[in-house]
Amino acid sequence: MLLVDCGLIGRIDALWGYQAGDAVRARIAAGISAEVLRPDDFVGDLGRDELACVLPVVEGAQLAQLAAEKLLRNLSAPMWLGEAEIYASPSVGIAVFPASADAAESLLQRARSACTAAAGLGSHVAFYDAAQVSGNSALVEEGRLRSAIADDLLELAFQPQFDLRYGQIMGVEAMLRWHDGTRELVSMRAAIAAAEAGGLVTKLISSLLNRALRNCSDLRQRAGLDLRVAVNLPARTLLDPELAELVERALGTWSLRPGRLMLEIGDLAVLETHEQARVQIRRLHEIGVKLSMDDAGAPLSSLFWLATMPFQELKIDLSIAHDWAVQPQSEGVFRSLLELVHKLKLDVVAISVADEAEAARILELGCDFMQADFKGPPVSPEEFITRFAS
């Protein structure tokens, strides 16, 4: 059983309508039957983007692998829809009888599980592996996280950020913490995904911003700490048309200068592909909010167009090059990156700094700010005041 996710028909439906999607899907199925499968093989529809290919007789898993690779080559070729050249983004999952399952329904389910795993692989082909069922627990966890967002059960933890040039604390990053008995810190990406599933994105962002700014106000009034607060947001939240309004409203509620709020934006590719996201970035800049690039996976080519956007800061995760301090080539890359970023008139925040020796070295190289567990792990707002008020 080969389960194929074309990664195309849904996008065609959205751009050109369902009739166009139906036509392309029929064309794809016909091409697979004629150019990939054997006369006795079968291809059938499962959904808008999914096709199931049944190969009744296969002499070993290697032949199934070859069939999947042939499928990918066929689907990856350009197609024309009117005058538009379009490309699929296919993934193929393979389940073999009886090794993967001994019944038709189970075989299909496990081929789908393999297809989900294949989407995250460079080859875009995967055989069913029993370890893939761990995705089920992730689905359950997402449901529990969604309930926690709906019931407003997430809290904030603060991690200090230090100005390397002056040796003093200059801000905090607000992180989500979920006291559910299973884990503590929650990634913003996971929280946003769960919120999207339940239509709760606006509620989550509003709650997060108001909590962060309220605590920032408390730090100033109760502890004399006039710090900026950084909030990490995946770039797709910029597609929410209410984002700028939510930010402006929260700043007004807590009577804070816009410059005290730093929004750290990840997954920056969204800015390149969505005009709405670029509009929101410019709107946030007009409000006076500070903007930081926080995307360790952004390619160098992105810097050319990111340089035109109104960011003030770039975060660099040193854990990506864990040996940078002892490898001259790696340190040279870091030094060159610092110089480039400073020429773009951006500050640099280094995260995952290991110890005081690394902190001293990045200061020598010209790094501006630092955020590191050895200087202060994420703690509750009350613990933060106790630790840093003096």
Side-chain angles (χ1 to χ4, degrees), residues 1-4 51-58 60-65 67-68 71 91-118 125-130 132:
M1 172 77 71
L2 306 184
L3 193 139
V4 185
L51 298 168
C53 301
V54 180
L55 284 58
V57 179
V58 179
Q62 185 176 6
L63 288 180
Q65 173 84 24
L71 265 169
S91 301
V92 182
I94 307 172
V96 181
F97 174 90
S100 301
D102 59 3
E105 184 176 355
S106 299
L107 198 68
L108 180 61
Q109 178 264 322
R110 290 177 178 179
R112 177 177 277 110
S113 176
C115 186
T116 301
V125 175
F127 280 87
Y128 171 75
D129 185 333
Q132 292 162 1

Side-chain angles (χ1 to χ4, degrees), residues 8 27 73-81 84-88:
L8 176 67
R27 192 190 315 172
R73 288 195 297 272
N74 180 271
L75 288 173
S76 297
M79 290 178 281
W80 290 89
L81 190 59
E85 186 179 23
I86 57 176
Y87 291 83

Side-chain angles (χ1 to χ4, degrees), residues 131-189:
Q132 292 162 1
V133 300
S134 62
N136 295 334
S137 62
L139 182 63
V140 172
E141 184 176 6
E142 180 178 308
R144 296 175 62 246
L145 179 56
R146 176 176 163 183
S147 296
I149 294 168
D151 296 335
D152 205 21
L153 298 178
L154 298 180
E155 302 174 359
L156 289 184
F158 282 164
Q159 183 166 31
Q161 296 176 328
F162 294 88
D163 189 321
L164 288 163
R165 298 162 295 186
Y166 300 103
Q168 63 186 26
I169 188 171
M170 43 69 75
V172 296
E173 180 176 352
M175 300 179 175
L176 282 176
R177 176 166 283 173
W178 178 20
H179 292 289
D180 70 332
T182 60
R183 68 177 183 179
E184 290 196 354
L185 292 180
V186 181
S187 76
M188 182 55 68
R189 179 179 297 181

Side-chain angles (χ1 to χ4, degrees), residues 131-307:
Q132 292 162 1
V133 300
S134 62
N136 295 334
S137 62
L139 182 63
V140 172
E141 184 176 6
E142 180 178 308
R144 296 175 62 246
L145 179 56
R146 176 176 163 183
S147 296
I149 294 168
D151 296 335
D152 205 21
L153 298 178
L154 298 180
E155 302 174 359
L156 289 184
F158 282 164
Q159 183 166 31
Q161 296 176 328
F162 294 88
D163 189 321
L164 288 163
R165 298 162 295 186
Y166 300 103
Q168 63 186 26
I169 188 171
M170 43 69 75
V172 296
E173 180 176 352
M175 300 179 175
L176 282 176
R177 176 166 283 173
W178 178 20
H179 292 289
D180 70 332
T182 60
R183 68 177 183 179
E184 290 196 354
L185 292 180
V186 181
S187 76
M188 182 55 68
R189 179 179 297 181
I192 292 294
E196 286 176 337
L200 299 167
V201 174
T202 299
K203 175 179 179 179
L204 174 62
I205 295 175
S206 178
S207 175
L208 174 61
L209 288 172
N210 277 283
R211 286 171 184 260
L213 294 177
R214 181 193 67 200
N215 287 312
C216 187
S217 179
D218 286 344
L219 291 174
R220 183 180 60 183
Q221 295 176 10
R222 295 174 53 194
L225 292 169
D226 190 17
L227 306 177
R228 76 177 198 185
V229 60
V231 175
N232 186 281
L233 293 177
R236 65 179 183 271
T237 58
L238 296 170
L239 302 178
D240 184 346
E242 298 183 55
L243 178 63
E245 182 182 345
L246 290 174
V247 170
E248 199 164 22
R249 190 184 308 142
L251 288 166
T253 298
W254 302 105
S255 302
L256 286 174
R257 304 191 308 276
R260 294 289 84 187
L261 175 62
M262 172 70 75
L263 294 180
E264 299 176 352
I265 308 298
D267 308 320
L268 293 166
V270 173
L271 285 171
E272 192 171 10
T273 55
H274 290 80
E275 173 62 22
Q276 172 63 27
R278 297 192 291 274
V279 169
Q280 284 280 24
I281 281 287
R282 296 188 182 99
R283 175 74 183 104
L284 291 166
H285 178 65
E286 291 170 358
I287 291 172
V289 169
K290 302 296 184 183
L291 299 165
S292 174
M293 290 183 276
D294 185 14
D295 186 356
L300 181 62
S301 59
S302 296
L303 289 177
F304 287 98
W305 62 268
L306 285 173

